[in-house]
């Protein structure tokens, strides 16, 4: 069953060009140049129950705009979106009680009050029964290990602690759909891992449908089987993360180390495409089907091979490649 | 509402700041009028005591109908995109604003009343008693509705932030204008009569001017009742305007900054 259905969804922002300088500013009071930008252009996708989908794309690609449309903050300019059978921008109570949006860059807790006060406020807003509230809260607090910071003013918390509290606040009403917009942004490696583990666990336990955006490939690799890659408002790829690698990187990487006198570039070039080279360590791109054969040939040659490793291409590399390609094709 | 109350305690300094500013402004008005009455016994039918009463009781009404910049709060929510957090949740932002404002002002209002109490004590020789018991009741109703008129005006003004990002000057202009039109600087009947009758069609005069007139017995109980009627009509009207403006604004809201 699909939880989220998006058809030809678009969003156009209107804005005015502002010229620098005083004179231009005064001119701008009378005549302004109206411009439009398409933040999201005709995107389509469906997401099923319990899926954890990664939204990937550079800054300004339209990820957040899409999430905002799905959560009803923004009106769409075209197309339609259905989440749990509701049209988000109608902002029906039944819908709002079933989803949550967490933004790593934005604070939804009461800045000047302890997090606990925000939790209680959410309990009232979402009309969560006492018993359920207590049970959920205890569970989340234990999972995230934040028992001792509940009574501290939010502004005095560290970013990582605050993020954990944001997650608790968003999950108290047991949403069926969760939108996470860069939940790990700015966190240190350990805090990132904590949050990541929590999301993974939560998705598995509660079967919550989650859309996650992140700039950290670690997040995506750890959490998402399926990714949607979006750039300049358009979907470039929608599918399994593994297939993405196969599609965009039809080769594997041979990492070979040499001893003795090392190796010359000309000697190794005939086996494949040289990615990195120095005389003692070489990375070679070789077609998937030919990789075994190439390895055997290198081993049986008279090159001073010390070690040879066959690796999958790094996902970062693949994605960088995708973006580089599309940017090359579309002039700015 | 409880939250706003707790928060108000966190911002004691702001409240004290406001109070201090008020005290200065009241003293300023007292000084000016005292100077004027040195050379004349009557100004447009106001004796010195009338005027003192107008200033001190008038300020009492100002401080209890005050919402301490809800227009700013709402404007900021829109401008900085914090409104988004409310749009996600199953609650109406407008209803929330009303409750929040009530919670927010309760402490400030209390302190305002205490300060006006002090002023009444200090100037007790010049502060006249209310004209009648029935009028006290009418005044209470009028001032209570006055609070909501000011609040609704603030909400409507705050919504301007949907259309323009530069709102500070506008807000300050609006609040000065409202104070002037409601008689916060001086009694409106110092102005030409035609303007006074014109002002009775607008909601502003009912916040300060009309209740003080009622207090001084310068208008009849009947006129007071009509005034309350006008207030109720305006509240309904303003509610309609807010709903309309809000609906339009939300459509173009971009939730910037997140």
């Amino acid at each position: 069953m699909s939880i989220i259905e998006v058809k030809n969804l678009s969003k156009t922002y209107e804005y005015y060009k502002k010229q620098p300088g005083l004179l231009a500013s005064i001119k701008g009071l009378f005549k302004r140049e109206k411009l439009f930008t398409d933040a999201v252009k005709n995107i389509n996708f469906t997401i099923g129950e319990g899926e954890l989908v990664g939204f990937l794309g550079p800054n300004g690609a339209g990820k957040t705009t899409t999430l905002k449309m799905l959560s009803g903050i923004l009106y769409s300019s075209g197309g339609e979106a259905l989440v749990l059978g509701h049209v988000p921008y109608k902002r029906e109570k039944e819908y709002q009680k079933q989803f949550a949006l967490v933004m790593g860059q934005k604070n939804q807790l009461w800045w000047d009050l302890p997090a606990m006060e925000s939790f209680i406020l959410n309990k009232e807003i979402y009309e969560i029964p006492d018993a359920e509230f207590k049970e959920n809260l205890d569970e989340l607090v234990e999972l995230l290990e934040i028992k001792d910071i509940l009574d501290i003013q939010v502004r005095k918390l560290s970013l990582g602690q605050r993020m954990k509290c944001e997650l608790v606040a968003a999950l108290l009403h047991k949403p069926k759909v969760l939108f996470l917009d860069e939940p790990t942004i700015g966190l240190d490696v350990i805090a990132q891992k904590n949050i990541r583990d929590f999301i993974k666990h939560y998705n598995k336990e509660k079967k919550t449908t989650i859309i996650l955006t992140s700039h950290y490939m670690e997040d995506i690799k750890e959490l998402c089987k399926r990714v949607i890659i979006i750039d300049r408002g358009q979907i470039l790829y929608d599918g399994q993360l593994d297939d993405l690698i196969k599609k965009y990187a039809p080769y594997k990487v041979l990492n070979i180390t040499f001893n003795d006198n090392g190796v010359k570039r000309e000697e190794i070039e005939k086996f494949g495409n040289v990615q990195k080279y120095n005389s003692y360590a070489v990375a070679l791109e070789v077609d998937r089907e030919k990789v075994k054969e190439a390895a055997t040939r290198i081993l049986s040659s008279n090159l001073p091979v010390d070690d040879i490793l066959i690796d999958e291409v790094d996902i970062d590399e693949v994605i960088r490649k995708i973006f580089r390609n599309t940017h090359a094709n579309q002039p700015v | 509402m409880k939250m706003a109350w707790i928060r108000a305690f966190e911002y004691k300094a702001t409240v004290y700041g406001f109070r201090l500013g008020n005290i200065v402004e009241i003293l300023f008005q007292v000084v000016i009028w005292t100077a004027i009455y040195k050379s004349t016994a009557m100004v447009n039918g106001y004796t010195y005591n009338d005027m003192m009463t107008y200033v001190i009781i008038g300020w009492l009404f100002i401080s209890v109908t005050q919402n301490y910049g809800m227009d700013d709060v709402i404007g900021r929510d829109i401008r900085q995109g914090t409104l988004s957090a409310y749009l996600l949740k199953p609650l109406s932002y407008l209803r929330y604003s009303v409750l929040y404002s009530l919670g927010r002002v309760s402490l400030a209002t209390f302190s305002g009343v205490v300060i006006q109490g002090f002023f009444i004590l200090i100037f007790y020789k010049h502060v006249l008693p209310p004209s009648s018991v029935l009028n006290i009741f009418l005044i209470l109703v009028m001032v209570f509705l006055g609070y909501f008129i000011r609040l609704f005006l603030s909400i409507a003004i705050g919504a301007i932030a949907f259309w323009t990002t530069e709102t500070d000057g506008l807000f300050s202009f609006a609040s000065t204008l409202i104070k002037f039109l409601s008689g916060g600087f001086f009694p409106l009947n110092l102005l030409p009569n035609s303007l006074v009758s014109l002002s009775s069609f607008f909601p502003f005069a009912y916040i300060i001017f009309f209740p003080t007139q009622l207090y001084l017995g310068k208008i009849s109980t009947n006129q007071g009742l009509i005034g309350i009627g006008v207030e109720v009509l305006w509240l309904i009207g303003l509610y309609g305007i807010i709903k309309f403006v809000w609906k339009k604004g939300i459509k173009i809201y971009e939730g910037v900054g997140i």
Side-chain angles (χ1 to χ4, degrees):
Chain A
M1 194 192 120
S2 64
I3 296 285
I4 302 173
E5 264 177 75
V6 173
K7 273 191 212 132
N8 298 320
L9 194 67
S10 306
K11 177 74 193 178
T12 309
Y13 287 117
E14 244 175 57
Y15 67 103
Y16 297 100
K17 212 175 195 170
K18 275 207 173 134
Q19 306 285 355
L22 181 63
L23 199 69
S25 293
I26 295 170
K27 238 183 0 197
L29 286 176
F30 304 103
K31 192 173 163 244
R32 294 193 292 183
E33 200 181 340
K34 204 174 193 177
L35 296 170
F36 299 95
T37 102
D38 297 320
V40 172
K41 284 180 262 184
N42 291 319
I43 58 168
N44 293 283
F45 59 84
T46 52
I47 292 174
E49 192 175 1
E51 269 195 271
L52 207 174
V53 178
F55 240 46
L56 279 175
N59 289 326
K63 299 175 305 241
T64 307
T65 302
T66 307
L67 289 190
K68 279 185 193 164
M69 283 193 281
L70 290 180
S71 42
I73 295 175
L74 286 182
Y75 271 72
S76 53
S77 320
E80 53 189 283
L82 271 183
V83 186
L84 298 164
H86 294 270
V87 177
Y89 70 75
K90 285 190 183 160
R91 289 201 286 276
E92 292 154 313
K93 265 196 168 193
E94 304 105 84
Y95 173 52
Q96 290 176 320
K97 282 187 178 180
Q98 293 184 69
F99 84 96
L101 168 70
V102 177
M103 303 206 178
Q105 315 225 50
K106 207 76 187 180
N107 183 38
Q108 293 184 39
L109 302 167
W110 285 58
W111 196 239
D112 307 296
L113 296 178
M116 194 58 201
E117 299 283 359
S118 290
F119 298 162
I120 293 169
L121 184 69
N122 270 9
K123 169 184 180 295
E124 299 301 327
I125 291 175
Y126 287 98
E127 296 163 346
I128 309 166
D130 287 342
E132 197 186 320
F133 173 75
K134 204 182 165 304
E135 190 190 327
N136 288 351
L137 183 68
D138 288 347
E139 188 189 346
L140 292 167
V141 165
E142 193 175 321
L143 270 173
L144 288 163
E145 299 167 357
I146 52 168
K147 205 173 177 59
D148 44 343
I149 58 167
L150 289 180
D151 297 322
I152 301 174
Q153 283 185 355
V154 170
R155 61 177 157 172
K156 288 177 185 159
L157 297 179
S158 75
L159 192 58
Q161 290 171 326
R162 209 195 78 203
M163 203 54 229
K164 287 177 173 179
C165 292
E166 292 272 353
L167 279 171
V168 173
L171 295 174
L172 281 173
H173 62 286
K174 289 196 174 156
K176 291 204 179 102
V177 174
L178 179 62
F179 303 124
L180 296 169
D181 194 15
E182 301 181 22
T184 53
I185 196 157
L187 301 183
D188 64 57
V189 188
I190 296 167
Q192 276 186 22
K193 183 153 171 35
N194 280 336
I195 299 275
R196 208 181 291 141
D197 290 346
F198 172 77
I199 295 170
K200 196 171 193 172
H201 174 88
Y202 196 84
N203 170 257
K204 212 168 156 188
E205 288 284 296
K206 313 276 175 187
K207 301 278 172 282
T208 310
T209 308
I210 301 179
I211 297 186
L212 169 94
T213 81
S214 179
H215 287 301
Y216 298 115
M217 282 318 300
E218 275 305 308
D219 288 350
I220 305 289
K221 269 189 267 186
E222 271 281 311
L223 294 172
C224 311
K225 280 207 185 80
R226 177 179 164 196
V227 290
I228 295 176
I229 299 181
I230 179 169
D231 189 23
R232 291 164 193 235
Q234 285 171 319
I235 291 181
L236 298 181
Y237 178 84
D238 177 359
Q240 302 297 310
L241 188 61
D242 297 341
D243 296 343
L244 174 76
I245 298 172
K246 279 178 206 140
K247 185 176 170 195
Y248 284 89
Y251 51 82
K252 289 196 174 190
V253 176
L254 280 180
N255 281 305
I256 317 156
T257 42
F258 300 94
N259 48 26
D260 296 339
N261 297 325
V263 67
K264 288 202 186 89
R265 200 178 172 110
E266 304 86 66
E267 287 176 302
I268 198 76
E269 251 172 0
K270 57 187 172 195
F271 296 104
N273 205 356
V274 180
Q275 214 180 42
K276 276 179 233 150
Y277 169 83
N278 72 48
S279 26
Y280 294 98
V282 174
L284 273 188
E285 286 174 8
V286 183
D287 282 355
R288 286 179 179 277
E289 306 86 63
K290 293 183 189 152
V291 74
K292 267 191 206 156
E293 185 205 323
T296 328
R297 271 167 55 211
I298 293 169
L299 281 172
S300 52
S301 69
N302 49 8
L303 296 170
V305 178
D306 180 37
D307 193 9
I308 190 161
L309 283 170
I310 303 175
D311 284 330
E312 197 60 82
V313 185
D314 196 25
I315 183 84
D316 296 39
E317 192 62 43
V318 177
I319 289 184
R320 225 173 292 143
K321 206 169 158 180
I322 295 174
F323 290 141
R324 215 182 301 131
N325 283 343
T326 54
H327 283 217
N329 296 338
Q330 300 175 331
V332 181
Chain B
M1 185 165 156
K2 196 185 127 219
M3 294 295 144
W5 210 68
I6 299 171
R7 210 166 130 121
F9 274 105
E10 294 277 326
Y11 285 112
K12 282 180 244 93
T14 318
V15 174
Y16 289 139
F18 258 112
R19 283 285 84 84
L20 223 61
N22 287 355
I23 292 173
V24 172
E25 224 176 310
I26 297 165
L27 283 177
F28 172 76
Q29 289 190 2
V30 167
V31 168
I32 291 217
W33 286 119
T34 308
I36 291 173
Y37 278 96
K38 283 260 159 63
S39 55
T40 172
M42 243 356 191
V43 175
N44 268 26
Y46 282 83
T47 63
Y48 178 64
N49 285 355
D50 278 349
M51 196 55 87
M52 284 298 113
T53 312
Y54 185 91
V55 169
I56 289 166
I57 298 299
W59 265 97
L60 179 66
F61 299 156
I62 293 182
S63 54
V64 297
T65 55
Q66 187 109 324
N67 57 48
Y68 301 94
M70 268 313 275
D71 45 0
D72 249 2
V73 173
I74 291 168
R76 201 165 40 225
D77 276 349
I78 296 170
R79 224 169 36 235
Q80 301 184 345
T82 24
L83 175 64
S84 303
Y86 300 99
L87 294 182
L88 293 174
K89 290 177 180 160
L91 98 165
S92 143
Y93 181 74
L94 294 176
R95 204 162 69 218
Y96 158 81
S97 305
V98 172
L99 289 176
Y100 173 66
S101 163
L102 285 173
R104 204 163 93 103
V105 296
S106 39
L107 180 74
T109 304
F110 177 71
S111 66
V113 171
V114 169
I115 295 221
Q116 283 326 107
F118 274 116
F119 269 104
I120 294 173
L121 279 181
I122 296 167
F123 295 99
Y124 76 97
K125 275 188 208 149
H126 302 292
V127 176
L128 304 166
S131 52
S132 81
V133 181
L134 179 61
N135 281 357
I136 295 182
F137 178 70
L138 286 187
I139 289 167
L140 285 178
V141 175
M142 215 178 237
V143 170
F144 178 74
L145 293 175
Y147 174 80
F148 286 98
I149 288 199
R150 279 182 87 171
L151 181 59
F152 281 19
L153 284 169
S154 291
I155 294 176
I157 292 166
I160 293 173
F162 279 123
W163 287 272
T164 170
T165 42
E166 303 289 330
T167 45
D168 289 356
L170 215 60
F171 286 175
S172 124
F173 169 70
S175 85
T176 311
L177 189 69
I178 289 171
K179 196 165 169 193
F180 170 73
L181 291 174
S182 54
F185 293 116
F186 54 80
L188 287 177
N189 39 15
L190 299 190
L191 297 168
N193 272 334
S194 53
L195 287 180
V196 180
S197 28
L198 186 68
S199 76
S200 65
F201 292 105
F202 289 97
F204 315 108
Y206 297 95
I207 302 166
I208 303 163
F209 178 67
F210 272 88
T212 35
Q213 296 301 294
L214 209 52
Y215 183 95
L216 290 168
K218 284 183 186 290
I219 56 170
S220 68
T221 308
N222 264 346
Q223 280 172 300
L225 278 172
I226 294 171
I228 289 176
V230 177
E231 275 192 300
V232 170
L233 286 180
W234 265 108
L235 277 177
I236 297 169
L238 283 170
Y239 180 78
I241 292 172
I242 290 171
K243 276 273 167 187
F244 177 76
V245 168
W246 200 258
K247 218 172 153 186
K248 290 252 157 199
I250 280 289
K251 281 212 170 144
I252 59 163
Y253 175 66
E254 290 184 355
V256 288
I258 44 175

